[in-house]
Amino acid sequence: MSNIRRSQVAEGDAILSGLHESGDQCHHSRQTMLHQLQMESGVLSSARGFTFVMFLVFAGSAGAQELKKIRIGYPSLGFRQGHIWVAKDEGLFKKYGLDVEPIFLRGGQLAIQALAGGDPPIMSIGQVVQASLSGFDLVLIAGVESYYDSTIFGRPGITRLEQLKGKRLGISGFGAATHFAALIVAKHLNLDPNKDLTLVPGGPDAERVAALAAGKIDASVFNSSTVPIAKRMGFVELVYIPDLGVEVQGNGLATTRAFVKSNREIVKGALKGYIEAIHFIFQNKQAAEKVFAKYMRTDDRNVLESSYQAYIKTTPKKPYPTLKGLQFLLDQLAPQMPQAKNAKPEQFVDISFLQELEKEGFFNEMAKRYLAR
């Protein structure tokens, strides 16, 4: 019995005991008052129960309403997309109010086209310059790759990088990171990529591995996740692109300025989940590799280990885009796109979200939650 009910019944007993009525009348009055008090106590209990139930209903409803459904795209099955996968599977996007559906788009060119079309409205990609120069108002809000983490492998018989002249070089697609990696190599060799090389767009790494094995191409650009497979198949490692020392703007998080304007909180929530996932990966190798295995569609321990080590070696915990890297892309595009000559790197980025998170202490919070590795 609740304290309220005990108090009410005790008070009723005290009042009734002081009445000097006849037995039947007293008994009748006492029973009537007790009945009234019990009814009042029951109403109070019911009211409290109803209030609690309604609180749970509305709280649950509010929680469900807070999650905004959104699709986030990614263009490859390499480790560089790991923070998108981890943020989804470890509930980090939900933590910041988003119900994210990751969407795989086959290659950077298709991914940029999809982003320019608005679906998905956010993309894990860094190649926004060419599309923006063409009239699509894409913008980079984060960057996690300042050197293309790529290696060029040749078929057996090609043992030196200089032998690529006149050969077929596989890339994922024109305008993709692998395309710009090929341009870096061409410049290093003093070759004209339009005359001295035949660039062959062949989709994701796995398809280019098959093409190289079948002799349809002579060499290909692969990310670090594919290196153990390429070596196992007897392909010859020719050059690790970062060793050529060219700073670039590689992978990052991109959207459109129109989406930022109308959905700023969604973009900020996506970025927070993205950044926390980076910290999570550094601190939770086993869990991260489990997620990598799922999305990379492999249980090859060498591939997963190589991918994880490359990730923590090359991924910044504060993912600011590189203006120098964007300038490199503008310089590469200038011969075909005259508008690139007068463009400035700053016009392709919006770092206001990262600056807000700095001011709010978000990065300090991440550092405390995920002890520095």
Side-chain angles (χ1 to χ4, degrees):
M1 183 182 293
S2 70
N3 292 334
I4 293 176
R5 184 176 173 184
R6 290 192 186 97
S7 174
Q8 290 173 320
V9 172
E11 182 181 351
D13 285 341
I15 293 171
L16 287 173
S17 65
L19 294 178
H20 302 286
E21 298 176 355
S22 62
D24 289 340
Q25 184 179 0
C26 179
H27 178 74
H28 175 72
S29 299
R30 179 182 176 90
Q31 290 299 107
T32 300
M33 183 170 286
L34 281 171
H35 178 70
Q36 289 175 339
L37 290 171
Q38 289 168 349
M39 288 292 290
E40 289 172 2
S41 179
V43 168
L44 285 171
S45 297
S46 297
R48 285 194 299 272
F50 177 78
T51 300
F52 180 69
V53 169
M54 291 307 295
F55 169 78
L56 291 178
V57 169
F58 284 115
S61 176
Q65 290 174 357
E66 287 174 1
L67 288 182
K68 304 291 185 181
K69 289 185 177 295
I70 186 172
R71 289 150 60 99
I72 296 180
Y74 61 96
S76 81
L77 300 178
F79 73 88
R80 184 58 67 195
Q81 310 300 327
H83 29 263
I84 298 295
W85 309 330
V86 167
K88 166 64 177 179
D89 283 25
E90 294 295 330
L92 301 179
F93 282 134
K94 285 187 176 181
K95 178 178 177 180
Y96 298 109
L98 301 179
D99 181 5
V100 169
E101 179 185 2
I103 301 295
F104 172 57
L105 294 112
R106 187 176 170 274
Q109 187 176 22
L110 180 60
I112 285 295
Q113 291 172 352
L115 179 60
D119 185 21
I122 299 178
M123 188 74 65
S124 175
I125 200 166
Q127 314 304 123
V128 302
V129 173
Q130 188 170 3
S132 295
L133 291 173
S134 300
F136 297 100
D137 200 12
L138 308 187
V139 64
L140 200 61
I141 62 170
V144 292
E145 187 178 29
S146 56
Y147 293 89
Y148 290 132
D149 187 65
S150 303
T151 302
I152 292 186
F153 279 83
R155 58 173 171 74
I158 297 179
T159 58
R160 294 180 298 108
L161 193 61
E162 291 75 14
Q163 291 177 270
L164 288 182
K165 184 176 181 179
K167 300 297 192 297
R168 301 162 296 175
L169 178 59
I171 59 175
S172 59
F174 292 108
T178 52
H179 179 205
F180 287 104
L183 296 182
I184 290 174
V185 170
K187 185 176 181 179
H188 174 75
L189 295 173
N190 198 28
L191 299 178
D192 183 336
N194 299 312
K195 296 179 180 179
D196 299 323
L197 289 173
T198 300
L199 300 182
V200 181
D205 276 21
E207 295 181 23
R208 282 179 281 119
V209 166
L212 188 55
K216 296 180 180 179
I217 54 178
D218 301 301
S220 183
V221 183
F222 295 129
N223 65 51
S224 289
S225 298
T226 307
V227 167
I229 296 172
K231 289 181 176 180
R232 192 182 307 149
M233 295 186 69
F235 301 146
V236 181
E237 183 175 346
L238 300 176
V239 66
Y240 179 51
I241 300 298
D243 288 344
L244 300 180
V246 179
E247 185 171 342
V248 301
Q249 177 54 69
N251 191 257
L253 194 63
T255 183
T256 64
R257 292 192 184 277
F259 192 77
V260 167
K261 185 176 181 180
S262 59
N263 298 278
R264 188 170 181 86
E265 287 306 308
I266 290 179
V267 175
K268 188 174 181 179
L271 182 58
K272 291 172 79 171
Y274 180 95
I275 293 170
E276 181 159 353
I278 292 173
H279 286 76
F280 180 96
I281 291 169
F282 270 79
Q283 201 62 31
N284 297 276
K285 179 182 179 183
Q286 186 174 359
E289 287 190 354
K290 182 178 179 180
V291 176
F292 282 19
K294 171 184 172 182
Y295 286 90
M296 290 168 63
R297 306 169 189 175
T298 182
D299 58 2
D300 188 315
R301 293 306 311 165
N302 289 332
V303 169
L304 295 174
E305 179 66 20
S306 174
S307 298
Y308 184 80
Q309 294 303 327
Y311 185 95
I312 63 173
K313 177 183 177 182
T314 61
T315 306
K317 292 182 178 179
K318 288 187 179 182
Y320 279 89
T322 162
L323 297 182
K324 183 177 180 180
L326 287 165
Q327 185 61 58
F328 163 79
L329 298 177
L330 288 170
D331 293 341
Q332 293 299 306
L333 292 169
Q336 295 80 35
M337 304 184 75
Q339 60 270 44
K341 295 178 181 179
N342 297 320
K344 301 297 182 185
E346 291 83 358
Q347 72 191 63
F348 304 100
V349 302
D350 180 351
I351 61 173
S352 64
F353 293 97
L354 290 169
Q355 291 172 332
E356 282 180 19
L357 295 181
E358 287 269 19
K359 291 178 181 178
E360 294 167 3
F362 183 76
F363 290 107
N364 290 335
E365 179 187 341
M366 292 297 101
K368 292 177 182 177
R369 184 173 302 160
Y370 301 93
L371 298 178
R373 173 169 176 161

